[in-house]
Amino acid sequence: MTPRTEQQPQMSVEEFEQLERHAPETVWLEFITGKVQVKPVPDGNHSEIYMWLLERCMQLRPDLRLHPERGLKTEACRRGRARADGVLVPKGSLKGQGEWSEADGVLMAVEITSHDSDTNRRDRVGKPDGYAAAGIPVYLLIDRDERAVVVFNQPEDGRYRHEEKLPFGATVELPEPVSITLDTGPLKEFAD
C-alpha cells in the first residue's frame, strides 16, 4: 500500500492580505515564495543603521526618499508580499499607493539582517529573488552577521545577474539608477 501524502493548501495573496490586516500591530507578516513569514521587529542597532542610510540618501540624493517598512508586491506576477526595511523612490512616487505598493518606480530595496533563524532564507535567498522578479534595479543587503554590505543589481529573469559583497568599512558604489557612494565605516559600530 502506498502511503498517502497530503499537500498543504496554498494560500492566495488575497487570503494573506486579509490575514495581515487582522494581525496585531506588534507582528509584521510577509508572504515570500508562497509562505507566510513573521518579520522581526527591529532592534535598536537595526534602527540606527536605517537612520544612517536615510541620512546618507538625503544628503547625496535629495530628489529621492527612503521610506521605512514599506510593503511591496514582489516575485513573479507580483504574487509575493515583502515588507522591505527601506525602499528608495523618487520624491512623491508613493502618493496614492496602498499598503502593498507596486514595485514600479522603486529604485532600491533595502534589508538589514535581524538576528533570527529565518534571516538566511528570507533576506539572503527569498528577497533577492522576489525583488529581482519585481524588476527592482538595486537590492542593498546590510548583513550584520557577515559584517558586510551586499549590492545586488542587473535583474533579469527573476535573478540579479550581479552581486558584490564588501566588508563593513569599505566604500560601496550603489549603481544606477541609485548612483550613491557610501562610506560604510560607521556600520562597524552597529554590527552587533
Side-chain angles (χ1 to χ4, degrees), residues 65-126:
R65 296 292 179 262
L66 184 65
H67 292 274
E69 300 302 335
R70 186 72 198 145
L72 292 174
K73 296 177 182 179
T74 61
E75 300 176 16
C77 302
R78 308 298 199 257
R79 303 304 296 174
R81 299 292 183 266
R83 191 167 300 282
D85 288 331
V87 293
L88 189 68
V89 296
K91 185 177 181 179
S93 66
L94 293 182
K95 184 176 181 181
Q97 294 284 329
E99 181 177 358
W100 300 100
S101 300
E102 294 291 338
D104 303 338
V106 174
L107 306 179
M108 179 174 72
V110 177
E111 295 295 342
I112 302 162
T113 60
S114 298
H115 299 299
D116 69 292
S117 61
D118 285 337
T119 289
N120 188 59
R121 183 170 50 97
R122 182 183 58 244
D123 295 337
R124 297 183 190 110
V125 178

Side-chain angles (χ1 to χ4, degrees), residues 29-183:
L29 299 178
E30 297 179 299
F31 193 55
I32 300 172
T33 61
K35 295 181 179 118
V36 175
Q37 297 184 20
V38 177
K39 182 170 180 157
V41 176
D43 61 22
N45 285 357
H46 185 286
S47 296
E48 289 294 334
I49 291 170
Y50 176 82
M51 291 306 295
W52 166 82
L53 183 60
L54 174 67
E55 289 170 356
R56 299 291 79 70
C57 290
M58 288 176 66
Q59 289 172 346
L60 301 170
R61 290 294 307 268
D63 57 318
L64 303 177
R65 296 292 179 262
L66 184 65
H67 292 274
E69 300 302 335
R70 186 72 198 145
L72 292 174
K73 296 177 182 179
T74 61
E75 300 176 16
C77 302
R78 308 298 199 257
R79 303 304 296 174
R81 299 292 183 266
R83 191 167 300 282
D85 288 331
V87 293
L88 189 68
V89 296
K91 185 177 181 179
S93 66
L94 293 182
K95 184 176 181 181
Q97 294 284 329
E99 181 177 358
W100 300 100
S101 300
E102 294 291 338
D104 303 338
V106 174
L107 306 179
M108 179 174 72
V110 177
E111 295 295 342
I112 302 162
T113 60
S114 298
H115 299 299
D116 69 292
S117 61
D118 285 337
T119 289
N120 188 59
R121 183 170 50 97
R122 182 183 58 244
D123 295 337
R124 297 183 190 110
V125 178
K127 287 193 176 180
D129 291 349
Y131 294 150
I136 297 173
V138 178
Y139 169 44
L140 175 64
L141 174 62
I142 300 175
D143 195 327
R144 296 192 295 168
D145 297 327
E146 299 287 327
R147 300 180 62 81
V149 174
V150 186
V151 179
F152 298 83
N153 68 317
Q154 301 174 13
E156 185 177 295
D157 298 325
R159 297 261 194 229
Y160 285 107
R161 290 185 359 200
H162 185 259
E163 175 182 334
E164 183 176 21
K165 183 176 181 177
L166 297 163
F168 285 176
T171 298
V172 174
E173 299 287 336
L174 298 176
E176 289 186 12
V178 178
S179 303
I180 292 175
T181 301
L182 297 173
D183 169 10

